[in-house]
Amino acid sequence: MTLEQIENEFESVKTQFFTKKLDLLDKQLEEVKAGTHPILVAQHTELDDMLQERVWAAEQWKQYQLDNLCAACEHEKSVADQECKLEKAATRERMLNKLGEKRRKILDSRSQMTLSAIARPMRKRQAPLQATTTSVTVSASRRKFNPPHISHALKESEIMEDLSAIRRALQTCSVNNGNGNTINSTGGSNVANPHQPASDIYVEKGVLHIYGNLLERGKAVTVESVKDAVRWHGILSSVSSAELSIKSVTDGKKDRFQLCHFRDGLLRIFELQTR
């Protein structure tokens, strides 16, 4: 075999090899364009699966957000309804207290007017004066003049200050037992706080004075336990020198709390702020 024949055979083999390669590539190009290529179909299937997963995750996140919004909305409605009930009950209690106070004042005024009219002494009729100058001079000379009566009276503000000091001292003495401990509402004992100023919590004329704030009957208040953060919500129904009570709006139940627990720092009370 000559060199020329070898070269011709090589060219023929080379042409057949590359022709097959080009035909295969052209076929793959047509399949890709038509969308029937196996590798392309597999990749599209994988992308479709990923799309389905992402769509499912987005739907789940949307449902989660909707559930949270619905729960928050329901909670807000419940809180608004509870505050509205408390405010209505407080308004009703305040109006009842005001009308009751006016009624008591009217009854007291009627009673005082009746008693004063009954107890008023009868006026004595004076004897006719004698016209002679001599009798007038003699009666004037016999009349005895009493010296002026001097009374040392305290002012109203001084009396109220003394009464408040005595009341606070008695309340402080009644709070402590023999060991200096206080008894809480559950029956246990707690050591009194020596740094807590007891004079900042007292009751005067039916009004609770607590650290400069005034809490009257009929106001919506909240009592909170400092130890375990338990809260009682209701209307301040009664206040005395030893205890106070609040009435629940939901069931009308009354809870009593000793004032000594507020002085010892075991409880705290604050007015409920409504919108």
Side-chain angles (χ1 to χ4, degrees), residues 30-93:
E30 294 296 332
E31 290 178 350
V32 169
K33 291 179 180 180
T36 59
H37 196 281
I39 297 177
L40 181 64
V41 171
Q43 292 179 353
H44 283 183
T45 303
E46 184 178 357
L47 290 174
D48 290 336
D49 293 340
M50 292 176 60
L51 175 62
Q52 292 296 329
E53 290 181 0
R54 294 183 63 180
V55 169
W56 179 84
E59 289 293 335
Q60 294 298 319
W61 176 250
K62 174 185 176 182
Q63 187 63 35
Y64 175 75
Q65 294 284 16
L66 290 175
D67 293 342
N68 284 342
L69 288 175
C70 291
C73 182
E74 292 298 328
H75 176 70
E76 190 69 21
K77 288 181 181 179
S78 176
V79 171
D81 182 67
Q82 186 71 13
E83 290 180 353
C84 181
K85 289 181 179 178
L86 285 175
E87 187 62 24
K88 286 181 179 179
T91 304
R92 178 177 177 274
E93 196 73 19

Coordinates of all heavy atoms in Angstrom, one line a residue, residues 30-93:
E30 N -31.8 19.6 17.5 CA -33.2 19.5 17.1 C -34.0 19.1 18.3 O -35.1 19.6 18.6 CB -33.4 18.6 15.9 CG -32.8 19.0 14.7 CD -33.4 20.3 14.2 OE1 -34.6 20.6 14.5 OE2 -32.7 21.1 13.5
E31 N -33.5 18.1 19.1 CA -34.2 17.6 20.3 C -34.4 18.7 21.4 O -35.4 18.8 22.0 CB -33.6 16.4 20.9 CG -33.7 15.1 20.0 CD -33.0 13.9 20.6 OE1 -32.2 14.2 21.6 OE2 -33.1 12.8 20.1
V32 N -33.3 19.5 21.5 CA -33.3 20.6 22.5 C -34.3 21.6 22.1 O -35.1 22.1 22.9 CB -31.9 21.2 22.7 CG1 -32.0 22.4 23.5 CG2 -31.0 20.2 23.4
K33 N -34.3 21.9 20.8 CA -35.3 22.9 20.3 C -36.7 22.4 20.4 O -37.6 23.2 20.8 CB -35.0 23.3 18.8 CG -33.7 24.1 18.6 CD -33.4 24.3 17.2 CE -32.2 25.1 16.9 NZ -31.9 25.4 15.5
A34 N -36.9 21.2 20.2 CA -38.2 20.6 20.4 C -38.6 20.3 21.8 O -39.8 20.0 22.1 CB -38.3 19.3 19.5
G35 N -37.6 20.4 22.7 CA -37.9 20.1 24.1 C -38.0 18.6 24.5 O -38.6 18.3 25.5
T36 N -37.5 17.7 23.7 CA -37.6 16.3 23.9 C -36.2 15.7 24.3 O -36.1 14.5 24.4 CB -38.1 15.6 22.6 OG1 -37.2 15.9 21.5 CG2 -39.5 16.1 22.3
H37 N -35.2 16.5 24.5 CA -33.9 16.0 24.9 C -34.0 15.4 26.3 O -34.5 16.0 27.2 CB -32.8 17.1 24.8 CG -31.4 16.5 24.8 ND1 -30.8 16.1 25.9 CD2 -30.6 16.3 23.8 CE1 -29.6 15.7 25.7 NE2 -29.4 15.8 24.3
P38 N -33.5 14.1 26.5 CA -33.7 13.5 27.8 C -33.0 14.3 29.0 O -33.6 14.4 30.0 CB -33.0 12.1 27.6 CG -33.0 11.9 26.2 CD -32.9 13.2 25.5
I39 N -31.9 14.8 28.8 CA -31.2 15.6 29.8 C -32.0 16.9 30.1 O -32.2 17.3 31.3 CB -29.8 15.9 29.4 CG1 -28.9 14.6 29.2 CG2 -29.1 16.8 30.5 CD1 -27.5 14.9 28.8
L40 N -32.5 17.6 29.0 CA -33.3 18.8 29.2 C -34.6 18.5 29.9 O -35.0 19.2 30.8 CB -33.5 19.4 27.9 CG -34.4 20.7 27.9 CD1 -33.6 21.8 28.6 CD2 -34.7 21.1 26.5
V41 N -35.2 17.3 29.6 CA -36.5 16.9 30.2 C -36.2 16.7 31.7 O -37.0 17.1 32.6 CB -37.1 15.7 29.5 CG1 -38.2 15.2 30.3 CG2 -37.5 16.1 28.1
A42 N -35.1 16.0 32.0 CA -34.8 15.7 33.4 C -34.6 17.0 34.2 O -35.0 17.2 35.4 CB -33.6 14.8 33.5
Q43 N -33.8 17.9 33.7 CA -33.6 19.2 34.3 C -34.9 20.0 34.5 O -35.1 20.6 35.6 CB -32.5 20.0 33.6 CG -31.1 19.4 33.6 CD -30.2 20.2 32.8 OE1 -30.5 21.2 32.1 NE2 -28.9 19.8 32.8
H44 N -35.7 20.0 33.5 CA -37.0 20.7 33.7 C -37.9 20.1 34.7 O -38.6 20.8 35.5 CB -37.7 20.7 32.3 CG -37.2 21.7 31.3 ND1 -37.7 21.9 30.1 CD2 -36.1 22.5 31.4 CE1 -37.0 22.8 29.5 NE2 -36.0 23.2 30.2
T45 N -37.8 18.8 34.8 CA -38.6 18.1 35.9 C -38.1 18.4 37.2 O -38.9 18.7 38.2 CB -38.5 16.5 35.6 OG1 -39.0 16.2 34.3 CG2 -39.4 15.8 36.7
E46 N -36.8 18.5 37.4 CA -36.2 18.9 38.7 C -36.6 20.3 39.1 O -36.9 20.6 40.2 CB -34.7 18.7 38.6 CG -34.0 19.0 40.0 CD -32.5 18.8 39.9 OE1 -32.0 18.3 38.8 OE2 -31.8 19.0 40.9
L47 N -36.6 21.2 38.1 CA -36.9 22.6 38.3 C -38.4 22.7 38.7 O -38.8 23.5 39.6 CB -36.6 23.5 37.1 CG -35.1 23.7 36.8 CD1 -35.0 24.4 35.5 CD2 -34.5 24.5 38.0
D48 N -39.3 21.9 38.1 CA -40.7 21.9 38.4 C -40.9 21.4 39.8 O -41.8 22.0 40.6 CB -41.5 21.0 37.4 CG -41.5 21.7 36.0 OD1 -41.4 22.9 35.9 OD2 -41.7 20.9 35.0
D49 N -40.2 20.4 40.2 CA -40.3 19.9 41.6 C -39.9 21.0 42.6 O -40.6 21.2 43.7 CB -39.5 18.7 41.8 CG -40.0 17.5 41.0 OD1 -41.2 17.5 40.6 OD2 -39.2 16.6 40.7
M50 N -38.8 21.7 42.3 CA -38.3 22.8 43.2 C -39.4 23.9 43.3 O -39.7 24.5 44.3 CB -37.0 23.3 42.7 CG -35.8 22.4 42.9 SD -34.3 23.0 42.2 CE -34.1 24.5 43.2
L51 N -40.0 24.2 42.1 CA -41.0 25.2 42.1 C -42.2 24.8 42.9 O -42.8 25.7 43.7 CB -41.5 25.5 40.6 CG -42.7 26.5 40.4 CD1 -42.3 27.8 40.9 CD2 -43.1 26.5 39.0
Q52 N -42.6 23.6 42.9 CA -43.8 23.1 43.7 C -43.5 23.2 45.2 O -44.3 23.6 46.0 CB -44.1 21.7 43.3 CG -44.7 21.5 41.9 CD -46.0 22.2 41.7 OE1 -46.8 22.4 42.7 NE2 -46.2 22.7 40.5
E53 N -42.2 22.9 45.6 CA -41.9 23.0 47.0 C -41.9 24.4 47.5 O -42.4 24.7 48.6 CB -40.5 22.4 47.2 CG -40.4 20.9 47.0 CD -39.0 20.3 47.2 OE1 -38.1 21.1 47.5 OE2 -38.9 19.1 47.1
R54 N -41.4 25.3 46.6 CA -41.3 26.7 47.0 C -42.8 27.3 47.1 O -43.1 28.1 48.0 CB -40.5 27.6 46.1 CG -39.0 27.2 46.1 CD -38.2 28.1 45.2 NE -38.2 29.5 45.6 CZ -37.6 30.5 45.0 NH1 -36.9 30.2 43.9 NH2 -37.7 31.7 45.4
V55 N -43.6 26.9 46.2 CA -45.0 27.4 46.2 C -45.7 26.9 47.5 O -46.4 27.6 48.2 CB -45.8 27.0 44.9 CG1 -47.3 27.2 45.1 CG2 -45.2 27.7 43.7
W56 N -45.5 25.6 47.8 CA -46.1 25.0 49.0 C -45.6 25.7 50.3 O -46.4 26.0 51.2 CB -45.7 23.5 49.1 CG -46.3 22.9 50.3 CD1 -47.5 22.3 50.5 CD2 -45.6 22.6 51.5 NE1 -47.6 21.8 51.7 CE2 -46.5 22.0 52.4 CE3 -44.3 22.9 52.0 CZ2 -46.1 21.6 53.7 CZ3 -43.9 22.5 53.2 CH2 -44.8 21.9 54.1
A57 N -44.3 26.0 50.3 CA -43.7 26.7 51.5 C -44.3 28.1 51.6 O -44.6 28.6 52.7 CB -42.2 26.8 51.4
A58 N -44.5 28.8 50.5 CA -45.1 30.1 50.5 C -46.5 30.1 51.0 O -47.0 30.9 51.8 CB -45.0 30.8 49.1
E59 N -47.3 29.1 50.5 CA -48.7 28.9 51.0 C -48.7 28.7 52.5 O -49.6 29.2 53.2 CB -49.3 27.8 50.2 CG -49.6 28.1 48.8 CD -50.7 29.3 48.6 OE1 -51.5 29.4 49.5 OE2 -50.7 29.9 47.6
Q60 N -47.8 27.8 53.0 CA -47.8 27.5 54.4 C -47.4 28.8 55.2 O -48.0 29.0 56.3 CB -46.8 26.4 54.7 CG -47.1 25.1 54.1 CD -48.4 24.5 54.7 OE1 -48.7 24.6 55.9 NE2 -49.3 24.0 53.8
W61 N -46.5 29.6 54.8 CA -46.1 30.8 55.5 C -47.3 31.8 55.5 O -47.5 32.5 56.5 CB -44.9 31.4 54.8 CG -44.5 32.7 55.4 CD1 -44.6 33.9 54.8 CD2 -43.9 33.0 56.7 NE1 -44.1 34.9 55.6 CE2 -43.7 34.3 56.8 CE3 -43.6 32.1 57.7 CZ2 -43.1 34.9 57.9 CZ3 -43.0 32.7 58.9 CH2 -42.8 34.1 58.9
K62 N -48.0 31.9 54.3 CA -49.1 32.7 54.3 C -50.2 32.3 55.3 O -50.8 33.2 56.0 CB -49.7 32.7 52.8 CG -51.0 33.5 52.7 CD -51.6 33.3 51.3 CE -52.9 34.0 51.1 NZ -53.5 33.7 49.8
Q63 N -50.5 31.0 55.4 CA -51.5 30.5 56.3 C -51.0 30.8 57.8 O -51.9 31.1 58.6 CB -51.7 29.0 56.1 CG -52.9 28.5 56.9 CD -54.2 29.1 56.5 OE1 -54.4 29.4 55.3 NE2 -55.1 29.3 57.5
Y64 N -49.8 30.6 58.0 CA -49.2 30.9 59.4 C -49.4 32.4 59.8 O -49.8 32.7 60.9 CB -47.8 30.5 59.4 CG -47.1 30.8 60.7 CD1 -47.3 30.1 61.9 CD2 -46.2 31.9 60.8 CE1 -46.7 30.4 63.0 CE2 -45.5 32.2 61.9 CZ -45.8 31.5 63.1 OH -45.2 31.8 64.3
Q65 N -49.1 33.2 58.8 CA -49.3 34.7 59.1 C -50.7 35.0 59.3 O -51.1 35.8 60.2 CB -48.7 35.5 57.9 CG -47.2 35.4 57.7 CD -46.4 36.2 58.8 OE1 -47.0 36.6 59.8 NE2 -45.2 36.4 58.5
L66 N -51.6 34.4 58.5 CA -53.1 34.7 58.7 C -53.6 34.2 60.1 O -54.3 34.9 60.7 CB -53.9 34.0 57.6 CG -53.7 34.6 56.2 CD1 -54.4 33.8 55.1 CD2 -54.2 36.1 56.2
D67 N -53.1 33.0 60.5 CA -53.5 32.5 61.8 C -53.0 33.4 62.9 O -53.7 33.7 63.9 CB -52.9 31.1 62.0 CG -53.5 30.1 61.0 OD1 -54.6 30.4 60.5 OD2 -52.9 29.0 60.8
N68 N -51.8 33.9 62.8 CA -51.2 34.8 63.8 C -52.0 36.1 63.9 O -52.4 36.6 65.0 CB -49.8 35.1 63.6 CG -48.9 34.0 64.0 OD1 -49.3 33.1 64.7 ND2 -47.7 34.0 63.5
L69 N -52.4 36.6 62.7 CA -53.2 37.9 62.7 C -54.5 37.7 63.3 O -55.1 38.5 64.0 CB -53.3 38.4 61.2 CG -52.0 39.0 60.6 CD1 -52.2 39.3 59.1 CD2 -51.5 40.2 61.4
C70 N -55.2 36.5 63.0 CA -56.5 36.3 63.5 C -56.4 36.1 65.0 O -57.3 36.6 65.7 CB -57.1 35.0 62.9 SG -57.5 35.2 61.1
A71 N -55.4 35.4 65.5 CA -55.2 35.3 67.0 C -55.0 36.6 67.7 O -55.6 36.9 68.7 CB -54.1 34.3 67.3
A72 N -54.1 37.5 67.0 CA -53.9 38.8 67.6 C -55.1 39.6 67.6 O -55.4 40.4 68.6 CB -52.8 39.5 66.9
C73 N -55.9 39.5 66.5 CA -57.2 40.3 66.5 C -58.2 39.9 67.5 O -58.8 40.7 68.2 CB -57.7 40.2 65.1 SG -59.3 41.1 64.8
E74 N -58.3 38.6 67.7 CA -59.2 38.0 68.7 C -58.8 38.5 70.1 O -59.6 38.8 71.0 CB -59.3 36.5 68.6 CG -60.0 36.0 67.3 CD -61.4 36.5 67.3 OE1 -62.1 36.6 68.3 OE2 -61.9 36.7 66.1
H75 N -57.5 38.4 70.4 CA -57.0 38.8 71.7 C -57.2 40.3 71.9 O -57.6 40.7 73.0 CB -55.5 38.6 71.7 CG -54.8 39.1 73.0 ND1 -55.1 38.5 74.2 CD2 -54.0 40.1 73.2 CE1 -54.4 39.2 75.2 NE2 -53.7 40.1 74.6
E76 N -57.0 41.1 70.9 CA -57.3 42.6 71.0 C -58.8 42.8 71.3 O -59.1 43.7 72.1 CB -56.8 43.3 69.7 CG -56.8 44.8 69.8 CD -55.8 45.3 70.8 OE1 -54.8 44.6 71.1 OE2 -55.9 46.5 71.3
K77 N -59.6 42.1 70.6 CA -61.1 42.2 70.9 C -61.4 41.9 72.3 O -62.2 42.5 72.9 CB -61.9 41.3 69.9 CG -61.9 41.8 68.4 CD -62.7 40.9 67.6 CE -62.7 41.3 66.1 NZ -63.5 40.4 65.3
S78 N -60.8 40.8 72.8 CA -61.1 40.3 74.2 C -60.7 41.4 75.2 O -61.4 41.7 76.1 CB -60.4 39.0 74.4 OG -60.6 38.6 75.8
V79 N -59.4 41.9 74.9 CA -58.9 42.9 75.9 C -59.8 44.2 75.8 O -60.1 44.8 76.9 CB -57.5 43.3 75.5 CG1 -57.0 44.5 76.3 CG2 -56.6 42.1 75.8
A80 N -60.2 44.6 74.6 CA -61.1 45.8 74.5 C -62.4 45.6 75.2 O -62.9 46.5 75.9 CB -61.2 46.2 73.1
D81 N -63.0 44.4 75.0 CA -64.2 44.1 75.7 C -64.1 44.1 77.2 O -65.0 44.6 77.9 CB -64.7 42.7 75.2 CG -66.1 42.4 75.8 OD1 -67.1 43.1 75.4 OD2 -66.2 41.4 76.5
Q82 N -63.0 43.5 77.7 CA -62.8 43.5 79.2 C -62.6 44.9 79.7 O -63.2 45.3 80.8 CB -61.6 42.6 79.5 CG -61.4 42.4 81.0 CD -62.4 41.5 81.6 OE1 -63.1 40.8 80.9 NE2 -62.4 41.5 82.9
E83 N -61.9 45.7 79.0 CA -61.6 47.1 79.5 C -62.9 47.9 79.4 O -63.2 48.7 80.3 CB -60.6 47.8 78.6 CG -59.2 47.2 78.9 CD -58.1 47.9 78.0 OE1 -58.5 48.7 77.2 OE2 -56.9 47.6 78.2
C84 N -63.7 47.7 78.4 CA -65.0 48.4 78.3 C -65.9 48.0 79.5 O -66.6 48.8 80.1 CB -65.7 48.0 77.0 SG -67.3 48.9 76.7
K85 N -66.0 46.7 79.8 CA -66.8 46.2 80.9 C -66.3 46.9 82.2 O -67.1 47.3 83.1 CB -66.8 44.7 81.0 CG -67.5 44.0 79.9 CD -67.5 42.5 80.1 CE -68.3 41.8 79.0 NZ -68.2 40.3 79.2
L86 N -65.0 46.9 82.4 CA -64.4 47.5 83.7 C -64.8 49.0 83.7 O -65.2 49.5 84.8 CB -62.9 47.3 83.7 CG -62.4 45.9 84.0 CD1 -60.9 45.9 83.9 CD2 -62.8 45.5 85.4
E87 N -64.7 49.7 82.6 CA -64.9 51.1 82.6 C -66.4 51.4 82.9 O -66.8 52.3 83.6 CB -64.5 51.7 81.3 CG -64.6 53.2 81.2 CD -63.7 53.9 82.2 OE1 -62.7 53.3 82.6 OE2 -64.0 55.1 82.6
K88 N -67.3 50.5 82.3 CA -68.7 50.7 82.5 C -69.1 50.5 84.0 O -69.8 51.2 84.6 CB -69.5 49.7 81.7 CG -69.6 50.1 80.2 CD -70.4 49.1 79.4 CE -70.5 49.5 77.9 NZ -71.3 48.5 77.1
A89 N -68.5 49.4 84.6 CA -68.7 49.1 86.0 C -68.2 50.2 86.9 O -68.8 50.6 87.8 CB -68.1 47.8 86.3
A90 N -67.0 50.8 86.5 CA -66.4 51.8 87.3 C -67.3 53.1 87.2 O -67.5 53.8 88.2 CB -65.0 52.1 86.8
T91 N -67.8 53.4 86.0 CA -68.7 54.6 85.9 C -69.9 54.4 86.7 O -70.4 55.3 87.3 CB -69.0 54.8 84.4 OG1 -67.8 54.9 83.6 CG2 -69.8 56.0 84.2
R92 N -70.5 53.2 86.6 CA -71.7 52.9 87.4 C -71.5 53.0 88.9 O -72.3 53.6 89.6 CB -72.2 51.5 87.0 CG -73.5 51.1 87.8 CD -74.0 49.7 87.3 NE -75.1 49.3 88.1 CZ -75.0 48.6 89.3 NH1 -73.8 48.4 89.8 NH2 -76.1 48.3 89.9
E93 N -70.3 52.5 89.3 CA -70.0 52.5 90.8 C -69.8 54.0 91.2 O -70.2 54.4 92.3 CB -68.8 51.7 91.0 CG -68.5 51.4 92.5 CD -69.5 50.3 93.0 OE1 -70.1 49.6 92.1 OE2 -69.7 50.2 94.2

